[in-house]
PDB file of all heavy atoms in Angstrom:
ATOM      1  N   ASP T  14      95.850  94.626  78.233  1.00  0.00           N
ATOM      2  CA  ASP T  14      94.751  95.151  77.417  1.00  0.00           C
ATOM      3  C   ASP T  14      95.350  96.165  76.402  1.00  0.00           C
ATOM      4  O   ASP T  14      96.272  96.945  76.726  1.00  0.00           O
ATOM      5  CB  ASP T  14      93.834  95.943  78.291  1.00  0.00           C
ATOM      6  CG  ASP T  14      92.535  96.304  77.594  1.00  0.00           C
ATOM      7  OD1 ASP T  14      92.542  97.316  76.799  1.00  0.00           O
ATOM      8  OD2 ASP T  14      91.537  95.615  77.757  1.00  0.00           O
ATOM      9  N   ILE T  22      93.612  88.174  82.980  1.00  0.00           N
ATOM     10  CA  ILE T  22      94.036  86.794  83.321  1.00  0.00           C
ATOM     11  C   ILE T  22      92.871  85.856  83.099  1.00  0.00           C
ATOM     12  O   ILE T  22      91.732  86.181  83.431  1.00  0.00           O
ATOM     13  CB  ILE T  22      94.551  86.743  84.824  1.00  0.00           C
ATOM     14  CG1 ILE T  22      95.734  87.655  84.964  1.00  0.00           C
ATOM     15  CG2 ILE T  22      94.858  85.264  85.168  1.00  0.00           C
ATOM     16  CD1 ILE T  22      96.250  87.590  86.453  1.00  0.00           C
ATOM     17  N   TRP T  46      96.518  79.274  99.323  1.00  0.00           N
ATOM     18  CA  TRP T  46      96.893  79.178  97.946  1.00  0.00           C
ATOM     19  C   TRP T  46      97.584  80.436  97.355  1.00  0.00           C
ATOM     20  O   TRP T  46      98.274  80.263  96.350  1.00  0.00           O
ATOM     21  CB  TRP T  46      95.723  78.694  97.097  1.00  0.00           C
ATOM     22  CG  TRP T  46      94.584  79.705  96.954  1.00  0.00           C
ATOM     23  CD1 TRP T  46      93.415  79.731  97.699  1.00  0.00           C
ATOM     24  CD2 TRP T  46      94.432  80.781  96.007  1.00  0.00           C
ATOM     25  NE1 TRP T  46      92.625  80.783  97.286  1.00  0.00           N
ATOM     26  CE2 TRP T  46      93.269  81.434  96.228  1.00  0.00           C
ATOM     27  CE3 TRP T  46      95.302  81.235  94.949  1.00  0.00           C
ATOM     28  CZ2 TRP T  46      92.769  82.510  95.425  1.00  0.00           C
ATOM     29  CZ3 TRP T  46      94.861  82.306  94.189  1.00  0.00           C
ATOM     30  CH2 TRP T  46      93.604  82.928  94.453  1.00  0.00           C
ATOM     31  N   ARG T  63      82.886  90.232 102.219  1.00  0.00           N
ATOM     32  CA  ARG T  63      81.499  90.541 101.744  1.00  0.00           C
ATOM     33  C   ARG T  63      81.517  91.836 101.107  1.00  0.00           C
ATOM     34  O   ARG T  63      82.434  92.633 101.230  1.00  0.00           O
ATOM     35  CB  ARG T  63      80.567  90.546 102.991  1.00  0.00           C
ATOM     36  CG  ARG T  63      81.059  91.501 104.074  1.00  0.00           C
ATOM     37  CD  ARG T  63      80.034  91.964 105.067  1.00  0.00           C
ATOM     38  NE  ARG T  63      80.612  92.791 106.149  1.00  0.00           N
ATOM     39  CZ  ARG T  63      80.949  94.058 106.009  1.00  0.00           C
ATOM     40  NH1 ARG T  63      80.752  94.720 104.863  1.00  0.00           N
ATOM     41  NH2 ARG T  63      81.460  94.697 107.057  1.00  0.00           N
ATOM     42  N   THR T  64      80.433  92.186 100.278  1.00  0.00           N
ATOM     43  CA  THR T  64      80.291  93.461  99.735  1.00  0.00           C
ATOM     44  C   THR T  64      80.452  94.524 100.779  1.00  0.00           C
ATOM     45  O   THR T  64      79.820  94.492 101.885  1.00  0.00           O
ATOM     46  CB  THR T  64      78.920  93.620  99.050  1.00  0.00           C
ATOM     47  OG1 THR T  64      78.801  92.615  98.027  1.00  0.00           O
ATOM     48  CG2 THR T  64      78.688  95.025  98.502  1.00  0.00           C
ATOM     49  N   TYR T  79     105.887  92.158 104.544  1.00  0.00           N
ATOM     50  CA  TYR T  79     105.245  92.881 103.384  1.00  0.00           C
ATOM     51  C   TYR T  79     103.717  92.662 103.594  1.00  0.00           C
ATOM     52  O   TYR T  79     103.297  91.646 104.152  1.00  0.00           O
ATOM     53  CB  TYR T  79     105.698  92.309 102.005  1.00  0.00           C
ATOM     54  CG  TYR T  79     105.420  90.848 101.848  1.00  0.00           C
ATOM     55  CD1 TYR T  79     104.241  90.317 101.248  1.00  0.00           C
ATOM     56  CD2 TYR T  79     106.338  89.895 102.284  1.00  0.00           C
ATOM     57  CE1 TYR T  79     104.050  89.001 101.084  1.00  0.00           C
ATOM     58  CE2 TYR T  79     106.156  88.552 102.124  1.00  0.00           C
ATOM     59  CZ  TYR T  79     105.019  88.137 101.544  1.00  0.00           C
ATOM     60  OH  TYR T  79     104.789  86.730 101.398  1.00  0.00           O
ATOM     61  N   PHE T  81      99.589  93.465 101.949  1.00  0.00           N
ATOM     62  CA  PHE T  81      98.634  93.819 100.901  1.00  0.00           C
ATOM     63  C   PHE T  81      97.307  94.220 101.586  1.00  0.00           C
ATOM     64  O   PHE T  81      96.950  93.664 102.653  1.00  0.00           O
ATOM     65  CB  PHE T  81      98.364  92.643  99.957  1.00  0.00           C
ATOM     66  CG  PHE T  81      99.650  92.191  99.271  1.00  0.00           C
ATOM     67  CD1 PHE T  81     100.439  91.108  99.769  1.00  0.00           C
ATOM     68  CD2 PHE T  81      99.999  92.812  98.078  1.00  0.00           C
ATOM     69  CE1 PHE T  81     101.572  90.669  99.128  1.00  0.00           C
ATOM     70  CE2 PHE T  81     101.186  92.317  97.410  1.00  0.00           C
ATOM     71  CZ  PHE T  81     101.926  91.297  98.006  1.00  0.00           C
ATOM     72  N   GLY T  83      93.090  95.968 100.800  1.00  0.00           N
ATOM     73  CA  GLY T  83      92.081  96.374  99.830  1.00  0.00           C
ATOM     74  C   GLY T  83      90.703  96.316 100.461  1.00  0.00           C
ATOM     75  O   GLY T  83      90.544  96.137 101.673  1.00  0.00           O
ATOM     76  N   VAL T  88      80.824  91.283  96.299  1.00  0.00           N
ATOM     77  CA  VAL T  88      80.926  89.854  96.347  1.00  0.00           C
ATOM     78  C   VAL T  88      79.588  89.338  95.947  1.00  0.00           C
ATOM     79  O   VAL T  88      78.576  89.526  96.706  1.00  0.00           O
ATOM     80  CB  VAL T  88      81.373  89.291  97.756  1.00  0.00           C
ATOM     81  CG1 VAL T  88      81.413  87.771  97.728  1.00  0.00           C
ATOM     82  CG2 VAL T  88      82.717  89.872  98.145  1.00  0.00           C
ATOM     83  N   ARG T  89      79.493  88.660  94.833  1.00  0.00           N
ATOM     84  CA  ARG T  89      78.206  88.007  94.489  1.00  0.00           C
ATOM     85  C   ARG T  89      78.540  86.623  93.891  1.00  0.00           C
ATOM     86  O   ARG T  89      79.696  86.171  93.842  1.00  0.00           O
ATOM     87  CB  ARG T  89      77.390  88.824  93.568  1.00  0.00           C
ATOM     88  CG  ARG T  89      77.869  89.110  92.259  1.00  0.00           C
ATOM     89  CD  ARG T  89      76.969  90.055  91.477  1.00  0.00           C
ATOM     90  NE  ARG T  89      77.221  89.983  90.059  1.00  0.00           N
ATOM     91  CZ  ARG T  89      77.016  90.953  89.156  1.00  0.00           C
ATOM     92  NH1 ARG T  89      76.630  92.178  89.591  1.00  0.00           N
ATOM     93  NH2 ARG T  89      77.263  90.764  87.893  1.00  0.00           N
ATOM     94  N   GLN T  95      87.262  93.952  93.747  1.00  0.00           N
ATOM     95  CA  GLN T  95      88.028  94.365  94.928  1.00  0.00           C
ATOM     96  C   GLN T  95      89.155  95.351  94.535  1.00  0.00           C
ATOM     97  O   GLN T  95      89.533  95.398  93.390  1.00  0.00           O
ATOM     98  CB  GLN T  95      88.613  93.195  95.615  1.00  0.00           C
ATOM     99  CG  GLN T  95      89.659  92.387  94.814  1.00  0.00           C
ATOM    100  CD  GLN T  95      90.098  91.230  95.612  1.00  0.00           C
ATOM    101  OE1 GLN T  95      89.489  90.167  95.734  1.00  0.00           O
ATOM    102  NE2 GLN T  95      91.292  91.313  96.231  1.00  0.00           N
ATOM    103  N   TRP T  99      99.694  96.899  97.184  1.00  0.00           N
ATOM    104  CA  TRP T  99     100.850  96.372  97.900  1.00  0.00           C
ATOM    105  C   TRP T  99     101.428  97.575  98.625  1.00  0.00           C
ATOM    106  O   TRP T  99     101.662  98.671  98.056  1.00  0.00           O
ATOM    107  CB  TRP T  99     101.872  95.840  96.886  1.00  0.00           C
ATOM    108  CG  TRP T  99     103.180  95.575  97.541  1.00  0.00           C
ATOM    109  CD1 TRP T  99     103.465  94.894  98.682  1.00  0.00           C
ATOM    110  CD2 TRP T  99     104.520  96.043  97.038  1.00  0.00           C
ATOM    111  NE1 TRP T  99     104.807  94.886  98.909  1.00  0.00           N
ATOM    112  CE2 TRP T  99     105.452  95.612  97.948  1.00  0.00           C
ATOM    113  CE3 TRP T  99     104.900  96.806  95.966  1.00  0.00           C
ATOM    114  CZ2 TRP T  99     106.813  95.864  97.832  1.00  0.00           C
ATOM    115  CZ3 TRP T  99     106.252  97.117  95.782  1.00  0.00           C
ATOM    116  CH2 TRP T  99     107.160  96.593  96.719  1.00  0.00           C
ATOM    117  N   ASP T 104     100.616 104.267  97.274  1.00  0.00           N
ATOM    118  CA  ASP T 104      99.710 105.113  96.451  1.00  0.00           C
ATOM    119  C   ASP T 104      99.240 104.440  95.190  1.00  0.00           C
ATOM    120  O   ASP T 104      98.399 105.029  94.471  1.00  0.00           O
ATOM    121  CB  ASP T 104     100.356 106.473  96.117  1.00  0.00           C
ATOM    122  CG  ASP T 104     100.399 107.366  97.341  1.00  0.00           C
ATOM    123  OD1 ASP T 104      99.852 106.978  98.410  1.00  0.00           O
ATOM    124  OD2 ASP T 104     100.952 108.470  97.265  1.00  0.00           O
ATOM    125  N   LEU T 123      87.777  81.381  85.094  1.00  0.00           N
ATOM    126  CA  LEU T 123      88.033  82.647  85.842  1.00  0.00           C
ATOM    127  C   LEU T 123      88.505  83.659  84.754  1.00  0.00           C
ATOM    128  O   LEU T 123      89.491  83.477  84.074  1.00  0.00           O
ATOM    129  CB  LEU T 123      89.141  82.431  86.900  1.00  0.00           C
ATOM    130  CG  LEU T 123      89.821  83.648  87.464  1.00  0.00           C
ATOM    131  CD1 LEU T 123      88.847  84.506  88.238  1.00  0.00           C
ATOM    132  CD2 LEU T 123      91.016  83.258  88.337  1.00  0.00           C
ATOM    133  N   ARG T 135     100.823  99.535  85.197  1.00  0.00           N
ATOM    134  CA  ARG T 135     100.423  98.248  84.566  1.00  0.00           C
ATOM    135  C   ARG T 135     101.650  97.496  84.094  1.00  0.00           C
ATOM    136  O   ARG T 135     101.865  96.256  84.319  1.00  0.00           O
ATOM    137  CB  ARG T 135      99.363  98.447  83.471  1.00  0.00           C
ATOM    138  CG  ARG T 135      98.719  97.283  82.961  1.00  0.00           C
ATOM    139  CD  ARG T 135      99.441  96.534  81.819  1.00  0.00           C
ATOM    140  NE  ARG T 135      99.759  97.326  80.695  1.00  0.00           N
ATOM    141  CZ  ARG T 135      98.962  97.503  79.655  1.00  0.00           C
ATOM    142  NH1 ARG T 135      97.819  96.960  79.613  1.00  0.00           N
ATOM    143  NH2 ARG T 135      99.362  98.252  78.589  1.00  0.00           N
ATOM    144  N   ALA T 137     104.764  97.836  84.860  1.00  0.00           N
ATOM    145  CA  ALA T 137     105.651  97.466  85.896  1.00  0.00           C
ATOM    146  C   ALA T 137     105.169  96.100  86.574  1.00  0.00           C
ATOM    147  O   ALA T 137     105.971  95.235  86.837  1.00  0.00           O
ATOM    148  CB  ALA T 137     105.744  98.524  87.019  1.00  0.00           C
ATOM    149  N   VAL T 147     101.061  83.982  90.128  1.00  0.00           N
ATOM    150  CA  VAL T 147      99.731  83.636  89.589  1.00  0.00           C
ATOM    151  C   VAL T 147      99.667  82.073  89.309  1.00  0.00           C
ATOM    152  O   VAL T 147      98.738  81.410  89.791  1.00  0.00           O
ATOM    153  CB  VAL T 147      99.453  84.446  88.312  1.00  0.00           C
ATOM    154  CG1 VAL T 147      98.219  83.853  87.594  1.00  0.00           C
ATOM    155  CG2 VAL T 147      99.208  85.905  88.636  1.00  0.00           C
ATOM    156  N   ASP T 149     101.750  79.601  90.236  1.00  0.00           N
ATOM    157  CA  ASP T 149     102.004  78.750  91.444  1.00  0.00           C
ATOM    158  C   ASP T 149     100.737  78.782  92.304  1.00  0.00           C
ATOM    159  O   ASP T 149     100.288  77.699  92.819  1.00  0.00           O
ATOM    160  CB  ASP T 149     103.159  79.244  92.249  1.00  0.00           C
ATOM    161  CG  ASP T 149     104.525  79.010  91.620  1.00  0.00           C
ATOM    162  OD1 ASP T 149     104.618  78.379  90.583  1.00  0.00           O
ATOM    163  OD2 ASP T 149     105.545  79.439  92.240  1.00  0.00           O
TER     164      ASP T 149
END
Side-chain angles (χ1 to χ4, degrees):
Chain T
D14 190 282
I22 297 178
W46 67 265
R63 54 162 174 79
T64 296
Y79 57 93
F81 299 93
V88 177
R89 66 185 201 209
Q95 63 182 80
W99 168 50
D104 286 356
L123 163 67
R135 190 274 303 272
V147 168
D149 285 0

